Amino acid sequence: MTAPLTTDLRLVDTDPAELTTDAIVIGVHSVAEAGTDGPPGLAGTLLLASGAESIAAAFDGRLTETLARLGASGATGEVTKVASLGTVAAPVVAVVGLGPEPSGAAPAPETLRRGAAAAIRSLAGNASVAVAMPLPDDEDGPAALRAVAEGALLGAYRFAGYKTKPAVRQPVGDIAVHVPDAADKTAQDEITRALVVAGVVGRCRDWVNTAPNDLRPPQFADAVAEAARAAGLEVEVLDEEQLEAGGYGGVLAVGLGSSAPPRLVKLTYKPVGDGARKKVALVGKGITFDTGGVSIKPAQGMWEMKSDMAGAAAVAATLLAVAELKPDVEVSGYLPMAENMPSATAYRPGDVVTMFNGKKVEVLNTDAEGRMILGDAIARACADGCDYLFETSTLTGGQVIALGKRVAGVMGSPDMCDRVRDAGDAVGEAAWPMPLPDDVRTGMDSDVADISQVNAGMDRAGHMLQGGVFLREFVAEGVPWAHIDIAGPSYHSGEPTGHWSKGGTGVPVRTLLELVDRIAAE
């Protein structure tokens, strides 16, 4: 169901002009001021980035003129290919735009990440590619190398899919990143990490891209459990009978309409050795397909609801990386899984459901099912004990309305929301804190239960905030927490761009890993 990483990544320190490879990738900056070097009418439009010096020399300084005549602008992610015709060892020079040249600094890591991904994607069909992009030789060097390495691997991702005929142009199989010293341990460690991270992001993408008939709750639980056990994680899988015995009313209610029963998977990583350590809980929504249930969705675009388990896929992938990277912090993942279907046995608007923590919830909209299964999982995570709780889910269309398809919405403890935003900025997965207004909660008071599932008076107004307010009811007193709504960023229906592939993106795996790393370092 999911394939291992098929692209190799290594370091080289040979002169880029002499590297024997199918293509060499270098960077180019756009230049705002005209009137410098270049042909008439094209003067001052481009400047080769550092790392490309020997390539420029081999072309006798005329490469930027050639690029300009080919229409290159230096815009971030734009790729222009030039046949070297023996000028350098590689037969193709792929020049990727890095935007305006930064004043006194290297390009931002996200610029490098997107540029490397775009270049490697454009070179599909080549067996081997070398990358010679700007890498500063100061304290910013490791972050830049990490960005280039991750971007290159993420750009090489392709879902194997279900086609009976393989694609003509296969992804690049071997990527060599040029550095000053290929034997440097810090650089080698970054390559090792990039291989791990890109591997789990690819696995997350594979799960999200898998057809929903092949990934119903039992199959999804089995796939996650198999991968987790192979990685050395502790695994607990609760079936429908165990869920009923444990009082997981929210998970059971959503799963009632499907012939494929629900599951709850718990994955645990514990560092080797004794001593008190912080405990991090990660919770991810695993609705393997969402019709909306009795409150059925419109048919248009419903096929994308195969991605409604992206939160659970991201949490599972994060735990797989944690098992390999071994941070000094205990991490547990909670993955509630159900299929939200309409049937004679489905839960209904008007039902009252008893949740894991004992709260009674009045159901007003069966299409607000994610918060039902997450409420149980969050309450279970708090009951097990945790110092920090991060939950991620494709929870509301309101996130897309408010923030678009590239920026996740974050709600919860203010300091935790800031942590998520900062971690997302560091890895190129944007997130923005949103409020949890008191009036939204007041409107969720129920006449017959402890809380209504949605704010009927607001209808869909502030729907993202309604989801966050509801989930807050299941976080134990004193637990710092954040809810990350990835309804938009988790699935990209357009053409590939930057380090995003078409389909599942793997957001927010790298954000969660960054959060775990930062907590472990405290």
Side-chain angles (χ1 to χ4, degrees):
M1 188 175 298
T2 59
L5 195 65
T6 57
T7 301
D8 193 21
L9 183 71
R10 56 194 174 89
L11 294 172
V12 293
D13 50 19
T14 305
D15 184 341
E18 299 176 1
L19 284 169
T20 303
T21 184
D22 293 332
I24 179 79
V25 175
I26 59 175
V28 67
H29 295 293
S30 57
V31 178
E33 302 84 16
T36 57
D37 297 336
L42 297 171
T45 58
L46 298 172
L47 177 68
L48 290 180
S50 63
E53 292 81 2
S54 64
I55 306 291
F59 278 84
D60 293 328
R62 302 191 65 184
L63 183 54
T64 52
E65 176 184 338
T66 301
L67 293 168
R69 291 193 182 280
L70 290 172
S73 68
T76 302
E78 175 192 77
V79 181
T80 306
K81 301 174 192 173
V82 177
S84 73
L85 301 178
T87 305
V88 297
V92 174
V93 178
V95 186
V96 62
L98 300 176
E101 182 187 22
S103 57
E110 179 63 3
T111 299
L112 295 172
R113 188 180 289 112
R114 291 185 182 184
I120 293 297
R121 184 185 304 110
S122 75
L123 291 165
N126 290 281
S128 64
V129 173
V131 179
M133 294 178 71
L135 297 176
D137 58 0
D138 54 19
E139 65 274 8
D140 295 329
L145 176 57
R146 178 179 299 188
V148 170
E150 284 183 357
L153 289 170
L154 294 176
Y157 170 83
R158 181 181 294 167
F159 179 55
Y162 298 86
K163 292 181 181 292
T164 54
K165 295 182 179 179
V168 175
R169 299 174 68 234
Q170 291 297 312
V172 175
D174 178 76
I175 301 172
V177 179
H178 183 268
V179 294
D181 181 6
D184 180 73
K185 185 180 183 305
T186 299
Q188 291 177 338
D189 289 345
E190 290 297 344
I191 294 300
T192 299
R193 178 187 170 87
L195 285 164
V196 171
V197 172
V200 299
V201 170
R203 189 182 289 264
C204 176
R205 290 174 173 181
D206 281 353
W207 277 324
V208 174
N209 291 331
T210 297
N213 56 313
D214 284 339
L215 202 73
R216 304 182 82 183
Q219 291 100 317
F220 189 21
D222 289 346
V224 168
E226 180 182 1
R229 291 190 180 105
L233 295 168
E234 296 179 14
V235 179
E236 176 186 358
V237 180
L238 301 182
D239 62 19
E240 64 272 32
E241 294 180 356
Q242 293 166 310
L243 289 168
E244 184 173 2
Y248 296 87
V251 179
L252 288 166
V254 175
L256 282 173
S258 174
S259 60
R263 295 287 186 267
L264 178 71
V265 179
K266 179 185 177 183
L267 310 176
T268 304
Y269 161 80
K270 293 181 180 179
V272 176
D274 299 325
R277 293 182 176 87
K278 296 292 186 182
K279 294 183 178 181
V280 178
L282 306 178
V283 180
K285 173 186 171 184
I287 297 294
T288 60
F289 194 79
D290 183 18
T291 66
V294 172
S295 308
I296 198 161
K297 293 177 180 291
Q300 183 178 7
M302 192 194 288
W303 65 270
E304 285 192 12
M305 288 300 100
K306 71 177 185 177
S307 69
D308 212 17
M309 36 59 69
V315 168
T318 300
L319 265 293
L320 295 178
V322 165
E324 287 201 58
L325 298 175
K326 297 180 169 46
D328 193 24
V329 61
E330 184 173 325
V331 186
S332 293
Y334 298 81
L335 289 66
M337 302 174 180
E339 189 177 51
N340 191 25
M341 302 289 282
S343 74
T345 58
Y347 82 134
R348 298 153 291 258
D351 283 1
V352 174
V353 176
T354 303
M355 305 290 284
F356 179 81
N357 67 349
K359 286 196 175 183
K360 309 282 187 179
V361 175
E362 181 183 16
V363 176
L364 300 183
N365 182 347
T366 64
D367 193 24
E369 83 298 327
R371 64 198 68 184
M372 299 294 291
I373 68 171
L374 289 168
D376 277 350
I378 288 171
R380 165 67 191 277
C382 292
D384 288 349
C386 58
D387 298 296
Y388 304 95
L389 188 147
F390 299 99
E391 172 272 320
T392 187
S393 50
T394 50
L395 200 66
T396 64
Q399 179 272 313
V400 181
I401 300 300
L403 295 172
K405 293 192 172 184
R406 295 192 70 92
V407 181
V410 189
M411 289 143 277
S413 310
D415 59 328
M416 295 290 278
C417 291
D418 290 342
R419 280 179 180 248
V420 172
R421 180 191 59 200
D422 293 345
D425 286 345
V427 302
E429 294 180 342
W432 195 253
M434 302 295 287
L436 294 175
D438 291 339
D439 64 305
V440 174
R441 174 60 184 88
T442 301
M444 296 173 76
D445 288 338
S446 169
D447 293 334
V448 298
D450 297 318
I451 186 173
S452 295
Q453 177 204 36
V454 297
N455 185 321
M458 294 180 68
D459 191 26
R460 294 192 64 81
H463 197 226
M464 174 171 53
L465 311 185
Q466 294 180 43
V469 165
F470 182 87
L471 294 178
R472 182 176 59 186
E473 296 289 314
F474 301 91
V475 181
E477 184 79 24
V479 175
W481 71 288
H483 153 59
I484 310 170
D485 194 331
I486 54 169
S490 65
Y491 194 85
H492 178 59
S493 56
E495 291 305 307
T497 177
H499 47 81
W500 275 17
S501 57
K502 188 171 185 176
T505 64
V507 173
V509 171
R510 292 180 301 109
T511 297
L512 295 177
L513 281 172
E514 181 71 13
L515 288 164
V516 169
D517 281 348
R518 292 184 179 195
I519 290 170
E522 292 175 353

